[in-house]
């Protein structure tokens, strides 16, 4: 193995460095320049050294900036760093550069010299330009998506709200037909009536969930200090009939207070508790709530002993109007968990799920403390 130190020729290192180098006198005339910078500028050595000043490579604005900013700083402080300067090449192209310079006093003491290092930042400028365009495009896309979302939410609210009136009329007429026994048992009329009644109930559920979803607006929510235990109590009151009919049990520990929107957090826990009951197994539902706390956030776990699902669908269950079961087998709209995700996004949190088919599910979500 060769242990001799690697030595480089100083002149070659200067001439072919990945940086441009030049030395100028106090009057601006260039007295030395390396091959790298000459190549960038498109000149030969004899065309530049003692023939041109540094200012000759600057635009009018650049010359003013050089005289009023760069040179005074060099004279007073002896150095400048990280200054953007645009140089003109022989072909009159623009070369964006980043320069550093230091003052070197002449040994005779009559005048100073200035050494400049010059970095070609063409690629950086191109990247910055592309990044700026990408950001502008992204901003425009976000604004357009926000506008579309607002329009869709408004449409969903209006459509759902306006559909309730005729739906109430249909439900009322169906109740009258039911009370007066218009259809004899086992007849085709009774079968058709049953289908109409089932689909009417499904439409009512859809309208309710759409209305609830359209009301989740992050711009109109007021945050306050709320108790998560109080939130859970309110959520259980909202689904009291489900809890009683299913003989469900809840284990909820003492939890901290957080900053949040009370109504939306109630809806979050109501959806999770309701799903745990809806997708239950043969055993009586047992729902356990737990949490982990750190400096800036709290993670809440809602675990059930229900039917569970395969993990390949762990993200799909949060999709808008996406369901793993048909409406005939388990009634639902596929909006509840999408609403949970939206509520948590507004709060700056996230939601996920872990499950195993036949062995229950655990939904977990994070909430910032502040």
């Amino acid at each position: 193995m060769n242990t001799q130190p690697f030595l480089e020729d100083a002149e070659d290192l200067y001439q072919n460095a990945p940086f441009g180098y030049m030395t100028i006198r106090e009057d601006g005339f260039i007295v030395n320049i390396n091959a790298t910078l000459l190549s960038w500028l498109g000149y030969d050595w004899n065309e530049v050294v003692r023939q041109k000043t540094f200012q000759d490579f600057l635009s009018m604005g650049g010359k003013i900036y050089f005289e009023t900013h760069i040179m005074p700083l060099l004279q007073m402080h002896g150095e400048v760093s990280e200054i953007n300067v645009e140089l003109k090449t022989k072909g009159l192209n623009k070369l964006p550069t980043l320069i550093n310079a230091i003052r070197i006093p002449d040994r005779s003491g009559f005048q100073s010299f200035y050494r400049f290092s010059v970095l070609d930042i063409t690629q950086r400028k191109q990247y910055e330009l592309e990044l700026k365009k990408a950001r502008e495009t992204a901003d425009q896309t976000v604004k357009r998506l926000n506008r579309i979302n607002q329009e869709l939410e408004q449409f969903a609210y209006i459509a759902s709200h306006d559909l309730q009136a005729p739906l109430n009329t249909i439900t009322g007429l169906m109740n009258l037909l039911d009370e007066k026994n218009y259809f004899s048992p086992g007849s085709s009329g009774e079968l058709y009536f049953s289908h109409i009644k089932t689909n009417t109930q499904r439409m009512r559920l859809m309208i309710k969930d759409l209305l609830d979803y359209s009301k989740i607006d992050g711009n109109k929510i007021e945050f306050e200090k709320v108790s998560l235990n109080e939130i859970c109590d309110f959520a259980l009151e909202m689904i009291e009939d489900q809890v009683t009919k299913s003989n469900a049990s809840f284990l909820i520990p003492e939890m901290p207070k957080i900053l949040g929107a009370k109504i939306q957090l109630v809806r979050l826990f109501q959806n999770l508790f309701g799903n745990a009951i809806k997708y239950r197994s043969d055993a009586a539902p047992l729902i356990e709530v737990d949490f982990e706390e750190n400096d800036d956030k709290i993670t809440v776990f809602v675990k059930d002993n229900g039917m569970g699902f395969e993990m390949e669908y762990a993200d799909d269950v949060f999709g808008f109007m996406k369901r793993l079961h048909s409406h005939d087998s388990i009634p639902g709209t596929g909006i509840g968990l999408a609403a949970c995700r939206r509520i948590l996004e507004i709060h700056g949190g996230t939601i996920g799920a872990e499950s195993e088919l036949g062995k229950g599910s655990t939904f977990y979500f994070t909430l910032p403390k502040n």
Side-chain angles (χ1 to χ4, degrees):
M1 180 177 178
N2 188 0
T3 59
Q4 293 297 318
F6 176 69
L7 299 176
E8 291 191 81
D9 178 70
E11 180 63 19
D12 179 70
L13 186 61
Y14 172 78
Q15 293 295 342
N16 300 301
F19 269 77
Y21 290 105
M22 73 166 68
T23 304
I24 70 171
R25 295 192 313 225
E26 203 157 16
D27 58 8
F29 273 93
I30 298 168
V31 295
N32 202 1
I33 185 169
N34 75 340
T36 300
L37 187 51
L38 284 170
S39 174
W40 291 348
L41 294 173
Y43 285 93
D44 293 328
W45 192 86
N46 292 329
E47 294 178 284
V48 173
V49 175
R50 293 185 175 84
Q51 303 299 317
K52 291 186 177 294
T53 65
F54 182 72
Q55 294 93 315
D56 290 333
F57 298 102
L58 302 175
S59 64
M60 183 61 70
K63 291 176 182 177
I64 295 171
Y65 184 70
F66 182 81
E67 295 293 344
T68 60
H69 183 77
I70 298 176
M71 283 306 294
L73 282 176
L74 274 172
Q75 290 165 351
M76 287 188 296
H77 300 292
E79 63 179 352
V80 293
S81 301
E82 304 287 311
I83 295 181
N84 279 296
V85 174
E86 209 168 57
L87 303 180
K88 292 187 300 183
T89 68
K90 190 173 184 178
L92 299 181
N93 294 317
K94 294 178 180 179
L95 178 70
T97 66
L98 196 66
I99 68 168
N100 293 278
I102 59 171
R103 185 180 69 226
I104 308 296
D106 184 65
R107 293 177 181 176
S108 63
F110 291 108
Q111 68 173 334
S112 298
F113 289 86
Y114 302 94
R115 287 179 182 162
F116 284 73
S117 66
V118 183
L119 174 64
D120 181 357
I121 57 171
T122 303
Q123 290 184 343
R124 182 193 297 184
K125 286 291 184 180
Q126 184 64 32
Y127 171 76
E128 289 173 354
L129 183 62
E130 291 173 359
L131 185 61
K132 182 181 178 183
K133 289 180 179 178
R135 283 175 177 168
E136 290 173 352
T137 302
D139 288 342
Q140 291 171 1
T141 302
V142 168
K143 288 177 182 178
R144 187 168 64 253
L145 288 174
N146 285 337
R147 185 174 67 253
I148 292 171
N149 282 335
Q150 289 172 358
E151 291 171 354
L152 287 173
E153 289 161 13
Q154 187 176 15
F155 169 78
Y157 179 80
I158 293 172
S160 302
H161 191 271
D162 290 349
L163 282 172
Q164 285 192 96
L167 188 62
N168 289 335
T169 301
I170 293 170
T171 303
L173 292 172
M174 290 178 64
N175 288 336
L176 285 173
L177 292 172
D178 203 12
E179 289 172 7
K180 295 184 180 295
N181 296 316
Y182 266 84
F183 306 105
S184 56
S187 66
S188 298
E190 185 189 43
L191 178 63
Y192 297 149
F193 180 80
S194 175
H195 287 320
I196 294 170
K197 189 174 183 180
T198 299
N199 282 280
T200 303
Q201 291 171 344
R202 181 178 180 181
M203 184 178 289
R204 182 179 294 280
L205 179 61
M206 178 71 72
I207 289 171
K208 175 188 174 298
D209 284 353
L210 279 172
L211 278 171
D212 288 343
Y213 189 83
S214 66
K215 291 174 184 176
I216 305 171
D217 187 348
N219 296 320
K220 298 178 181 178
I221 287 179
E222 293 185 4
F223 290 82
E224 59 183 315
K225 204 75 173 178
V226 294
S227 164
L228 287 178
N229 286 95
E230 187 178 326
I231 295 295
C232 288
D233 290 340
F234 281 128
L236 289 173
E237 286 179 17
M238 300 290 287
I239 59 169
E240 187 175 358
D241 287 345
Q242 286 178 265
V243 174
T244 303
K245 289 178 182 178
S246 64
N247 196 29
S249 301
F250 287 81
L251 298 176
I252 302 174
E254 190 67 29
M255 292 191 287
K257 292 183 177 182
I258 65 160
L259 196 67
K262 190 173 184 179
I263 293 175
Q264 302 301 347
L265 290 176
V266 170
R267 183 172 287 136
L268 168 69
F269 279 93
Q270 179 186 340
N271 284 336
L272 293 176
F273 290 166
N275 274 2
I277 294 173
K278 183 191 296 185
Y279 298 99
R280 61 184 179 270
S281 60
D282 294 334
L286 174 63
I287 295 93
E288 300 177 66
V289 179
D290 202 358
F291 71 96
E292 291 178 357
E293 192 173 3
N294 59 27
D295 293 337
D296 58 351
K297 69 179 180 180
I298 177 174
T299 303
V300 180
F301 304 88
V302 179
K303 180 181 179 182
D304 64 57
N305 63 339
M307 60 177 63
F309 55 85
E310 295 176 353
M311 277 302 293
E312 63 181 291
Y313 303 113
D315 193 56
D316 291 345
V317 295
F318 298 101
F320 185 75
M321 297 186 72
K322 287 196 174 181
R323 307 193 68 231
L324 303 184
H325 305 83
S326 68
H327 185 81
D328 293 334
S329 60
I330 301 177
T333 61
I335 296 176
L337 287 177
C340 290
R341 173 175 277 181
R342 180 117 182 252
I343 290 167
L344 286 161
E345 286 173 352
I346 291 170
H347 282 77
T350 59
I351 188 169
E354 290 184 358
S355 186
E356 187 175 349
L357 195 62
K359 295 187 178 180
S361 305
T362 298
F363 288 84
Y364 54 89
F365 57 88
T366 60
L367 285 167
K369 288 184 180 178
N370 301 309

